[in-house]
Amino acid sequence: MAKRIDGKVISKQIKDELKEEVAQLKAKGIEGSLAVIQVGNDPASSVYVNNKKKACEYIGIGSISYELPEETTEAELLDIIEDLNKREDVCGILVQLPVPKHIDEDKIIQAISPKKDVDGFHPQSVGAMTIGEPGFLSCTPAGIIQLLKRSNIEIEGKHCVVIGRSNIVGKPMALLMLRENATVTIAHSKTKNLKELCKQADILIVAIGKPKFIDESYVKEGAVVIDVGIHRNEENKLCGDVKFEKVEPHTSAITPVPGGVGPMTIAMLMNNCVESMRGQK
Ligand code: NAP
């Protein structure tokens, strides 16, 4: 029977470990806060921002939030980031994406000091990850590695197919699986014979951004399936990129949506904040 990989339980384990470490750091006089900046009031972003604040509270670090109006200029945002880069009490800076269209997202990402880039999106963090140097890892892919490891799923030598090549999920995911000694194939919208390719995967990681796209015909019997997608269906319920009910019986392990990859992203964000605090030692 397929094992359901429980992201809620695993993310709680990680947050509990971090909570303990934060208490130890505090005892040594090391504290820190995560600065979260939201521009505009996109409701989905507000939910994510709120969850991040709650997670900070849970593990015992501070959070400073900036809720800026939609018309905030790029220069104003860059000034705030520059200020936060200098503040010693701030261990991490996160700008909730997407930002409004009049703001250049790349410029914003690059303005954040790599020492406080807890989202792991800065080109320096991405470069460090690529060559195996220390640096912040992109949270969702790093969370998936934790899900696999903490579920005792072997990665080394396995064929992993990652569907999607975005900068925040697909590409870093493929690199992290490579770092864990998987043999990695990256598929995207121009890939030919997607189904045949996916059927060769021991571990199939789906970050395609299309609700319930992957059914059982894409999955090798006994494969591990990780569903990164998050969508709201017609009934306003959350679903992933995978047709869970159809695919689950053919897998050895699978992540549900919700309760799979989603909770791990915030846990790994907290991990990066604590990592930044450790760096102050
Ligand atoms: P994205 O930027 O839209 O990227 C989607 C990728 O899928 C692209 O690389 C695209 O290829 C590829 N693709 C699209 N249609 C395809 C097809 N028919 N066949 C093969 N490949 C196809 O999305 P993303 O930001 O990576 O996110 C992916 C999903 O994960 C979304 O549902 C998002 O909401 C979710 N997500 C979840 C979390 C979490 O915490 N759980 C975090 C981030 C994202 P091209 O490059 O050729 O266009």
Side-chain angles (χ1 to χ4, degrees), residues 24-80:
Q24 286 165 11
L25 288 169
K26 274 187 180 165
K28 291 181 193 152
I30 299 167
E31 301 209 19
S33 291
L34 169 67
V36 181
I37 308 173
Q38 184 183 358
V39 187
N41 49 11
D42 171 55
S45 290
S46 302
V47 173
Y48 291 135
V49 167
N50 221 10
N51 288 342
K52 286 166 188 170
K53 282 190 227 162
K54 277 193 209 150
C56 288
E57 208 173 302
Y58 185 81
I59 69 160
I61 65 171
S63 67
I64 306 166
S65 72
Y66 291 78
E67 283 150 35
L68 305 177
E70 182 86 20
E71 17 349 311
T72 304
T73 65
E74 188 178 282
E76 284 167 332
L77 183 54
L78 288 170
D79 279 349
I80 293 172

Side-chain angles (χ1 to χ4, degrees), residues 48 140 163-166 168-170 187-191 194 206-210 213 227-231 241 261-262 265:
Y48 291 135
T140 303
I163 319 180
R165 56 173 166 181
S166 70
I168 60 163
V169 187
H188 47 77
S189 67
K190 306 288 185 288
T191 297
L194 181 67
V206 190
I208 196 169
K210 297 202 159 119
F213 186 93
D227 187 354
V228 190
I230 309 180
H231 314 273
D241 289 349
V261 173
T265 301

Side-chain angles (χ1 to χ4, degrees), residues 91 122 136 145 147 191 196 213:
C91 63
H122 191 287
F136 293 117
I145 297 289
L147 277 183
T191 297
E196 287 68 32
F213 186 93

Side-chain angles (χ1 to χ4, degrees), residues 120 122-133 136-138 140-142 144-145 148-149 155 160-187 205:
H122 191 287
Q124 191 171 313
S125 308
V126 177
M129 176 186 62
T130 309
I131 59 170
E133 289 284 314
F136 293 117
L137 299 179
S138 188
T140 303
I144 292 169
I145 297 289
L148 293 169
K149 285 190 170 173
I155 304 176
C160 173
V161 174
V162 179
I163 319 180
R165 56 173 166 181
S166 70
N167 289 339
I168 60 163
V169 187
K171 279 185 203 149
M173 188 72 247
L175 283 165
L176 290 184
M177 290 302 277
L178 189 62
R179 194 153 120 169
E180 297 297 332
N181 294 323
T183 301
V184 182
T185 304
I186 307 175
I205 302 181

Side-chain angles (χ1 to χ4, degrees), residues 256-268:
V257 178
V261 173
M264 295 303 291
T265 301
I266 292 193
M268 298 319 287

